[in-house]
Amino acid sequence: MLLVDDHAFLREALAEVLLQSFPQAMVLQAGTLAAAHRLAAQHSGLDLVLLDLKLPDGDGLQALPALRQATAARIVVMSADERVETVTAALDAGAAGYLPKTLGGADMLAAVRRVLAGGVYVPALAQAGQRDGTAAEAVLSPRQREVLAWLVAGAANKVIARELEIAEATVKSHVTAIFVALGVTGRTRVVVEVARRGWLLGLPQHRKG
């Protein structure tokens, strides 16, 4: 795990909480985007990055796409800004979740576990309506669930096609079917709807070879 926050006290306190709950984990810390990129390059096995939006050498939202290119880890934004437009912008930029800094310790750990399991944590939007308990298996076909997992991970259609070894046109058909089934338009709204329904899709599996 990598914590990226310029407030050393808060960063170290969060690192301690994570180490208590994930004793086998390696928790790295960075106070700047530049340091985060250096650590991401040095540790290819990172599984999670917790990224503050306000950093001394750049805006986290603007830097998120480049950081996604630098690491295969899932990136979760942390911020005191809980406006819906900021949450949506983070998801549009490729975040796998959004943690308000007002979250208590237990809720924060639950959010981290959810993201590590392949889910999405978006409390500001997930609380907007009553959770739909319908399982993904009852709504989508097995192939559509595979495509959905890659959508939630932020993959482009051509990447999904390569990973699933199907035509890009077929991926587009599945994506359209997913939009219809979930009653949404746009990839960001897919992520939000998956979070609202409480679905755990698991992490998408890369093709071997």
Side-chain angles (χ1 to χ4, degrees), residues 81-92 97-100 120-131 187-198:
D81 185 348
E82 299 184 41
R83 293 175 298 171
V84 171
E85 55 266 33
T86 306
V87 177
T88 303
L91 296 175
D92 278 335
Y98 196 97
L99 300 183
V120 180
Y121 191 84
V122 195
L125 300 180
Q127 294 171 1
Q130 184 175 1
R131 176 169 291 187
R187 289 172 177 246
T188 298
R189 289 299 164 185
V190 167
V191 175
V192 172
E193 184 64 14
V194 167
R196 190 190 70 79
R197 293 178 183 230

Side-chain angles (χ1 to χ4, degrees), residues 34-161:
H37 276 277
R38 285 196 300 270
L39 288 170
Q42 294 167 4
H43 300 275
S44 60
L46 282 175
D47 54 3
L48 181 70
V49 176
L50 297 177
L51 176 68
D52 188 22
L53 283 189
K54 301 300 181 183
L55 294 163
D57 57 343
D59 178 89
L61 271 182
Q62 295 178 359
L64 210 159
L67 191 56
R68 286 190 65 228
Q69 292 294 319
T71 178
R74 308 197 82 198
I75 301 175
V76 176
V77 165
M78 301 184 299
S79 179
D81 185 348
E82 299 184 41
R83 293 175 298 171
V84 171
E85 55 266 33
T86 306
V87 177
T88 303
L91 296 175
D92 278 335
Y98 196 97
L99 300 183
K101 288 190 173 181
T102 53
L103 278 182
D107 288 336
M108 185 274 294
L109 289 172
V112 168
R113 290 191 180 96
R114 182 175 186 81
V115 172
L116 288 173
V120 180
Y121 191 84
V122 195
L125 300 180
Q127 294 171 1
Q130 184 175 1
R131 176 169 291 187
D132 184 346
T134 305
E137 289 81 357
V139 179
L140 303 173
S141 70
R143 179 62 91 185
Q144 288 168 352
R145 294 197 301 273
E146 287 183 300
V147 172
L148 178 58
W150 282 104
L151 282 178
V152 169
N157 284 356
K158 63 181 179 181
V159 174
I160 300 173

